[in-house]
Amino acid sequence: MAYERYSEPVPEGGPKSWRSQLPHYWQLVRGDRQVGTLLLLWPTLWALWLAAEGVPPIKLLLIFCAGVWLTRSAGCIINDYADQWLDANVERTKQRPLARGVL
């Protein structure tokens, strides 16, 4: 027995290609709103500069920058997945991909 809130929405016009879904995934990881990434990146870079006592190695810098972006993106996805039933009823969050049912 499937509950209405957990049932899969039927896509109009058949299944969509992965390329047509890319903008929705970009919105899901908040790629269109990078202020959260910058807020996490600032203390990370500050700590790297202090730990290296100057400019850190470029490889380490790139690894930490990628880690900050991936961690924030994963957090956004987990939050949207957990709250998708609530986000659809809140004005500020009802346009998120999981709340709209496009992903």
Side-chain angles (χ1 to χ4, degrees):
M1 182 167 129
Y3 292 98
E4 183 177 322
R5 144 174 135 180
Y6 295 113
S7 63
E8 293 284 329
V10 178
E12 296 178 16
K16 297 181 179 179
S17 70
W18 65 272
R19 287 185 181 172
S20 66
Q21 296 289 85
L22 283 179
H24 301 301
Y25 284 110
W26 186 246
Q27 188 180 12
L28 181 65
V29 299
R30 307 293 194 280
D32 55 339
R33 298 177 184 187
Q34 289 299 318
V35 71
T37 302
L38 295 175
L39 287 172
L40 290 174
L41 192 60
W42 178 253
T44 302
L45 294 178
W46 189 16
L48 278 175
W49 253 264
L50 288 175
E53 297 178 352
V55 180
I58 190 71
K59 182 178 178 181
L60 193 62
L61 194 62
L62 292 175
I63 289 171
F64 272 81
C65 288
V68 163
W69 192 83
L70 290 171
T71 302
R72 190 218 179 210
S73 297
C76 291
I77 292 169
I78 291 169
N79 176 62
D80 282 2
Y81 182 74
D83 292 340
Q84 63 185 334
W85 62 274
L86 178 66
D87 286 347
N89 299 316
V90 177
E91 186 68 31
R92 183 179 65 86
T93 59
K94 69 181 181 182
Q95 292 302 317
R96 292 181 178 170
L98 292 178
R100 286 184 294 164
V102 295
L103 291 178

